[in-house]
Short mmCIF file of all heavy atoms in Angstrom, two decimals:
data_model
loop_
_atom_site.label_atom_id
_atom_site.label_comp_id
_atom_site.label_asym_id
_atom_site.label_seq_id
_atom_site.Cartn_x
_atom_site.Cartn_y
_atom_site.Cartn_z
N PHE W 122 3.71 -8.50 -17.53
CA PHE W 122 3.98 -9.88 -17.96
C PHE W 122 4.77 -10.64 -16.89
O PHE W 122 4.46 -11.79 -16.56
CB PHE W 122 4.77 -9.88 -19.27
CG PHE W 122 3.94 -10.26 -20.47
CD1 PHE W 122 2.96 -9.41 -20.94
CD2 PHE W 122 4.12 -11.47 -21.11
CE1 PHE W 122 2.19 -9.74 -22.04
CE2 PHE W 122 3.35 -11.83 -22.21
CZ PHE W 122 2.39 -10.96 -22.69
N GLU W 191 4.35 -21.09 -21.45
CA GLU W 191 4.05 -20.21 -20.32
C GLU W 191 3.78 -18.78 -20.79
O GLU W 191 2.87 -18.12 -20.28
CB GLU W 191 5.22 -20.22 -19.33
CG GLU W 191 5.30 -21.50 -18.51
CD GLU W 191 6.58 -21.62 -17.72
OE1 GLU W 191 7.55 -20.86 -17.99
OE2 GLU W 191 6.64 -22.48 -16.83
N ILE W 192 4.54 -18.31 -21.76
CA ILE W 192 4.34 -16.95 -22.28
C ILE W 192 2.98 -16.84 -22.97
O ILE W 192 2.28 -15.83 -22.83
CB ILE W 192 5.51 -16.54 -23.22
CG1 ILE W 192 6.79 -16.34 -22.38
CG2 ILE W 192 5.18 -15.27 -24.00
CD1 ILE W 192 8.04 -16.13 -23.18
N GLU W 193 2.58 -17.89 -23.69
CA GLU W 193 1.27 -17.90 -24.36
C GLU W 193 0.14 -17.87 -23.33
O GLU W 193 -0.86 -17.16 -23.50
CB GLU W 193 1.15 -19.14 -25.26
CG GLU W 193 -0.06 -19.12 -26.19
CD GLU W 193 -0.16 -17.87 -27.04
OE1 GLU W 193 0.84 -17.45 -27.65
OE2 GLU W 193 -1.28 -17.29 -27.06
N MET W 194 0.29 -18.63 -22.26
CA MET W 194 -0.71 -18.64 -21.18
C MET W 194 -0.79 -17.26 -20.52
O MET W 194 -1.88 -16.78 -20.18
CB MET W 194 -0.35 -19.68 -20.12
CG MET W 194 -0.53 -21.12 -20.57
SD MET W 194 -2.25 -21.59 -20.83
CE MET W 194 -2.81 -21.72 -19.14
N THR W 195 0.36 -16.61 -20.38
CA THR W 195 0.40 -15.27 -19.78
C THR W 195 -0.30 -14.26 -20.68
O THR W 195 -1.00 -13.36 -20.19
CB THR W 195 1.87 -14.85 -19.52
OG1 THR W 195 2.47 -15.81 -18.65
CG2 THR W 195 1.95 -13.47 -18.89
N ARG W 196 -0.11 -14.40 -22.00
CA ARG W 196 -0.81 -13.51 -22.94
C ARG W 196 -2.32 -13.58 -22.73
O ARG W 196 -3.01 -12.56 -22.70
CB ARG W 196 -0.48 -13.90 -24.38
CG ARG W 196 0.91 -13.49 -24.81
CD ARG W 196 1.11 -13.68 -26.30
NE ARG W 196 2.49 -13.37 -26.65
CZ ARG W 196 3.34 -14.23 -27.19
NH1 ARG W 196 2.97 -15.48 -27.45
NH2 ARG W 196 4.58 -13.87 -27.48
N MET W 197 -2.83 -14.81 -22.58
CA MET W 197 -4.26 -15.01 -22.36
C MET W 197 -4.70 -14.39 -21.04
O MET W 197 -5.75 -13.73 -20.97
CB MET W 197 -4.59 -16.51 -22.37
CG MET W 197 -4.45 -17.15 -23.74
SD MET W 197 -4.48 -18.96 -23.66
CE MET W 197 -6.16 -19.25 -23.12
N ALA W 198 -3.89 -14.56 -20.00
CA ALA W 198 -4.22 -14.01 -18.68
C ALA W 198 -4.23 -12.48 -18.71
O ALA W 198 -5.12 -11.84 -18.12
CB ALA W 198 -3.21 -14.49 -17.64
N VAL W 199 -3.27 -11.88 -19.41
CA VAL W 199 -3.18 -10.42 -19.53
C VAL W 199 -4.38 -9.87 -20.30
O VAL W 199 -5.00 -8.89 -19.89
CB VAL W 199 -1.85 -9.99 -20.19
CG1 VAL W 199 -1.88 -8.53 -20.61
CG2 VAL W 199 -0.68 -10.24 -19.24
N ARG W 200 -4.74 -10.53 -21.41
CA ARG W 200 -5.90 -10.08 -22.20
C ARG W 200 -7.18 -10.14 -21.37
O ARG W 200 -8.01 -9.22 -21.42
CB ARG W 200 -6.05 -10.95 -23.45
CG ARG W 200 -5.01 -10.65 -24.52
CD ARG W 200 -5.32 -11.40 -25.81
NE ARG W 200 -4.15 -11.43 -26.68
CZ ARG W 200 -3.53 -12.56 -27.08
NH1 ARG W 200 -3.97 -13.74 -26.69
NH2 ARG W 200 -2.48 -12.50 -27.87
N PHE W 201 -7.33 -11.22 -20.61
CA PHE W 201 -8.52 -11.36 -19.76
C PHE W 201 -8.57 -10.24 -18.72
O PHE W 201 -9.62 -9.65 -18.48
CB PHE W 201 -8.52 -12.73 -19.06
CG PHE W 201 -9.65 -12.91 -18.09
CD1 PHE W 201 -10.92 -13.24 -18.55
CD2 PHE W 201 -9.46 -12.72 -16.73
CE1 PHE W 201 -11.98 -13.40 -17.66
CE2 PHE W 201 -10.50 -12.87 -15.83
CZ PHE W 201 -11.77 -13.21 -16.31
N GLU W 202 -7.41 -9.93 -18.10
CA GLU W 202 -7.37 -8.88 -17.08
C GLU W 202 -7.71 -7.52 -17.67
O GLU W 202 -8.39 -6.71 -17.04
CB GLU W 202 -5.99 -8.85 -16.42
CG GLU W 202 -5.95 -7.98 -15.18
CD GLU W 202 -4.65 -8.09 -14.41
OE1 GLU W 202 -3.93 -9.09 -14.56
OE2 GLU W 202 -4.35 -7.16 -13.64
N LEU W 203 -7.24 -7.25 -18.90
CA LEU W 203 -7.54 -5.97 -19.55
C LEU W 203 -9.03 -5.85 -19.85
O LEU W 203 -9.61 -4.77 -19.69
CB LEU W 203 -6.73 -5.84 -20.85
CG LEU W 203 -5.21 -5.70 -20.67
CD1 LEU W 203 -4.51 -5.76 -22.02
CD2 LEU W 203 -4.85 -4.41 -19.95
N GLU W 204 -9.66 -6.95 -20.29
CA GLU W 204 -11.11 -6.94 -20.53
C GLU W 204 -11.86 -6.71 -19.23
O GLU W 204 -12.81 -5.92 -19.17
CB GLU W 204 -11.55 -8.27 -21.15
CG GLU W 204 -11.22 -8.42 -22.63
CD GLU W 204 -11.63 -9.78 -23.18
OE1 GLU W 204 -12.58 -10.37 -22.63
OE2 GLU W 204 -10.99 -10.25 -24.13
N THR W 241 0.67 -7.43 -26.44
CA THR W 241 0.65 -8.79 -25.87
C THR W 241 1.32 -9.81 -26.79
O THR W 241 1.98 -10.73 -26.30
CB THR W 241 -0.80 -9.24 -25.57
OG1 THR W 241 -1.60 -9.05 -26.73
CG2 THR W 241 -1.39 -8.46 -24.40
#
Side-chain angles (χ1 to χ4, degrees):
F122 254 70
E191 286 170 345
I192 290 172
E193 190 53 48
M194 289 292 286
T195 302
R196 285 190 184 119
M197 291 167 67
V199 167
R200 286 188 197 119
F201 176 80
E202 191 172 339
L203 293 172
E204 283 178 28
T241 52

